DNA sequence: CGTTCACTTGAACCCCCTCAAGGATGGTGG
DNA sequence: CCACCATCCTTGAGGGGGTTCAAGTGAACG
C-alpha cells in the first residue's frame, strides 16, 4: 500500500467511477479522502462475509468477483467487477459485508474509507448524488440479472453474458471483440445458474458454428450479431 | 391525495421505513418534506418503466409488486413490497424508473419528492445514512434472490419465499402463520422463475402432507419447521 | 516426466416445462 | 337470484433441456 496523489485525475476509468460529474475542486477533496491503493493477486480476497464495513473499494485495473454464501455453504457469484466499478455497497445496510470479493487476476484497488466518503458526501451534493447513482445502477444491474436467470434458457444466458462483457470492455477502451475471460468455466456457470458442462458444451457448439473462437480464456467474438440474436437482444448479465 | 401531518410518527411501520433512527426534530423536517399520500387500487400502477424520477415512494399499507420488462416484453417480477418498504430506488441511476410498480391490493403510499429528500439528506446525516442503508439492503435482498434462483430447486425456492413472507408479516405485527398472499399463483411463479403449474402442484403436495393449508390466497403454515427444512434454512425470497 | 487442475465430451436420467382439459371463483348484467 | 363469462387455479400426461455421472484430453508446473 502507498499513498496516492492525483489518483483519480490520472485514472483512465474515472468517468465510470465515483469521480464522474465532479468539478476540479471537488475532485481535489475526493482525492484527499482516498487514502491508499492496494494490489491483490489472483485468489486473494478484498473482504469476506461478515467483515465490518470500513471502506468502499474501486477497481482500478484487473478483475474481481463478488459472491454470497448460501445457508448450505454453496457459493453464488453475484458479479464480476471491471475497472471503474465500486465494491462493498451491500455492506451499507448492516455495516458488515454481505458478500466476499476475490481477485481473479492481479488487481489494483482504490480504498475509500467510508467515514470520510460519508462526511465528504454531506458537503458535496454532487458526490452524494453520484454515490446514490452508482447504488441505483447496482440495483438495476441485479434486476436485469434476475430477469435473465428466471426466464432465459442456458444458451441465452451465456450469450447475454458474453455480449455484456464485450460491451463493458469496449466502454473501457479495450477491444469488445477479443478479450480475456478472467473467470473460469466453473465461475461462469455458477454466475449464470448452470453447470460447467453446459457452459463448455455451449461454447464448443458456438465455436463449431463459427460464432466465436475460444482458446482457454482468450475469447474472440467472430459474429457479434449472431451472439446478440441468441441472447435475444438482452444485454444483461 | 391529501396533505398529511404527523404522518410518520403515527405510522406503525415507521421503524422499518425511512424515519428509522431519526430524532424527533429530524422527523419534523422529514414530515414537512413528505408532501402527500395517495391510494392505489388493485392493478393501478404507481410508476412505469421510463417515467422520470420525481419521487420515491413508501408503502404504508397494502402490497405492491415491482417488475422489469425483458427485451422480449416478458415481465419479470423483482419484488413484492409490504408496508414500510421503499420503492423507486432503481431510478436513482439514470433519473428514470427502470421498473414498473403495480398495486396488488388497495394500497396507501407516501410520496417523497426526491429533490426535497435529497436536499434534506444533505442537512441530516442520519437521514442520508438511512437512505444508503435502505439501498444497501435492497442490493443484499436482490443478491439473496439471485442465489435462490441460480442454485435452488423449485420446491426450495417456493418454501424460501413463503418463509420469507411469513417473517416479514410477523415483523410488521401480523401473524406469520396465517396470512393472505396478495399475489396470484402466476405472479409467484414468475417471481420465482418457475411455471404456474409447478407452483400449484407443489402447494397441493404440501397441503396433502399437512405442511400448509391454503385456500385461494389465504395461507396457513401448519409446520413452519418443515417448511424451513425444505427451504434449506434459506430465508431469502 | 509425472501430477494436478481445468476443461471437454459422451451417455443416461430426471426435474420441470409444455400442452391440454377440467374445475373453482368472482364479477356482471339481466 | 341466477345465468353467464372471464379469470384463476388444479390436475394429468408426455417430452425435452439441462443435470448428473463418468471418462478422457490438454495445459501448466514442479
Amino acid at each position: 500500500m502507498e499513498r496516492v496523489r492525483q489518483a483519480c485525475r490520472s485514472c483512465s476509468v474515472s468517468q465510470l467511477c465515483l469521480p464522474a460529474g465532479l468539478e476540479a475542486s471537488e475532485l481535489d477533496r475526493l482525492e484527499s479522502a482516498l487514502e491508499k491503493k492496494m494490489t491483490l493477486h489472483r485468489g486473494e480476497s478484498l473482504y469476506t462475509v461478515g467483515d465490518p464495513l470500513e471502506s468502499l473499494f474501486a477497481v482500478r485495473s484487473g478483475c474481481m468477483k463478488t459472491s454470497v454464501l448460501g445457508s448450505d455453504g454453496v457459493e453464488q457469484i453475484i458479479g464480476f467487477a471491471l475497472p471503474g466499478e465500486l465494491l462493498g455497497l451491500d455492506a451499507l445496510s448492516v455495516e458488515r459485508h454481505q458478500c466476499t470479493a476475490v481477485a481473479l487476476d492481479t488487481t489494483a484497488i482504490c480504498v475509500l474509507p467510508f467515514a470520510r466518503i460519508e462526511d465528504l458526501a454531506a458537503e458535496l451534493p454532487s458526490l452524494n448524488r453520484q454515490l446514490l447513482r452508482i447504488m441505483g445502477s447496482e440495483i438495476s444491474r441485479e434486476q436485469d440479472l434476475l430477469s435473465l436467470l428466471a426466464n432465459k434458457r442456458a444458451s441465452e444466458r451465456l450469450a447475454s453474458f458474453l455480449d455484456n462483457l464485450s460491451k463493458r470492455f469496449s466502454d473501457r477502451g479495450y477491444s469488445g471483440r477479443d478479450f480475456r475471460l478472467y473467470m473460469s468455466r466453473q465461475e461462469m456457470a455458477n454466475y449464470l445458474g448452470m453447470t460447467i458442462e453446459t457452459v463448455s458444451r455451449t461454447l464448443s457448439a458456438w465455436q463449431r458454428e463459427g460464432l466465436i473462437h475460444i482458446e482457454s480464456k482468450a475469447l474472440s467474438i467472430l459474429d457479434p450479431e449472431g451472439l446478440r440474436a441468441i441472447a435475444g437482444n438482452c444485454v444483461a448479465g
Side-chain angles (χ1 to χ4, degrees), chain A:
Chain A
M1 297 192 194
E2 53 174 289
R3 296 214 159 244
V4 279
R5 285 277 171 255
Q6 307 242 327
C8 294
R9 65 188 61 186
S10 70
C11 183
S12 63
V13 290
S14 65
Q15 284 314 302
L16 299 168
C17 190
L18 200 53
L22 263 58
E23 294 178 7
S25 64
E26 298 173 325
L27 204 52
D28 278 340
R29 304 197 56 190
L30 178 59
E31 285 182 342
S32 70
L34 191 163
E35 191 170 310
K36 55 202 170 186
K37 67 178 179 183
M38 57 192 290
T39 300
L40 295 177
H41 297 101
R42 176 171 177 76
E44 293 178 344
S45 67
L46 183 57
Y47 54 82
T48 302
V49 181
D51 284 357
L53 166 63
E54 286 165 0
S55 302
L56 300 180
F57 304 95
V59 179
R60 212 176 146 78
S61 68
C63 183
M64 304 284 298
K65 72 168 177 182
T66 53
S67 58
V68 294
L69 239 54
S71 53
D72 43 9
V74 174
E75 173 187 44
Q76 173 60 43
I77 297 175
I78 295 302
F80 299 102
L82 296 184
E85 291 169 347
L86 236 54
L87 291 174
L89 299 172
D90 57 290
L92 292 176
S93 55
V94 292
E95 265 117 87
R96 289 190 176 277
H97 288 285
Q98 303 298 295
C99 62
T100 296
V102 174
L104 294 183
D105 194 12
T106 300
T107 300
I109 298 286
C110 297
V111 180
L112 313 163
F114 180 64
R116 292 164 88 172
I117 292 294
E118 195 177 18
D119 289 347
L120 197 56
E123 294 176 46
L124 304 178
S126 53
L127 178 62
N128 197 54
R129 189 68 191 80
Q130 175 64 4
L131 187 55
L132 291 177
R133 189 174 288 122
I134 289 174
M135 294 192 77
S137 57
E138 176 65 12
I139 291 175
S140 288
R141 185 189 74 80
E142 287 179 4
Q143 289 177 349
D144 290 342
L145 190 52
L146 285 172
S147 174
L148 198 69
L149 287 179
N151 50 45
K152 299 282 184 179
R153 339 227 95 204
S155 59
E156 297 176 301
R157 294 198 290 255
L158 188 54
S160 290
F161 174 64
L162 296 183
D163 192 35
N164 175 268
L165 272 185
S166 166
K167 182 176 182 317
R168 284 157 73 195
F169 277 116
S170 60
D171 284 348
R172 282 159 182 76
Y174 302 106
S175 167
R177 288 188 153 251
D178 304 275
F179 51 88
R180 180 179 153 75
L181 298 168
Y182 289 104
M183 69 291 299
S184 68
R185 303 285 191 275
Q186 178 60 61
E187 287 163 333
M188 276 190 257
N190 180 295
Y191 178 64
L192 296 170
M194 47 207 270
T195 57
I196 184 175
E197 291 95 330
T198 305
V199 169
S200 187
R201 269 186 263 269
T202 307
L203 290 176
S204 297
W206 288 345
Q207 176 141 345
R208 274 195 300 278
E209 295 162 13
L211 277 170
I212 61 171
H213 178 80
I214 187 166
E215 196 175 331
S216 180
K217 292 192 165 52
L219 176 71
S220 298
I221 299 178
L222 305 176
D223 181 1
E225 283 309 314
L227 206 59
R228 250 189 300 275
I230 294 174
N233 293 318
C234 166
V235 210

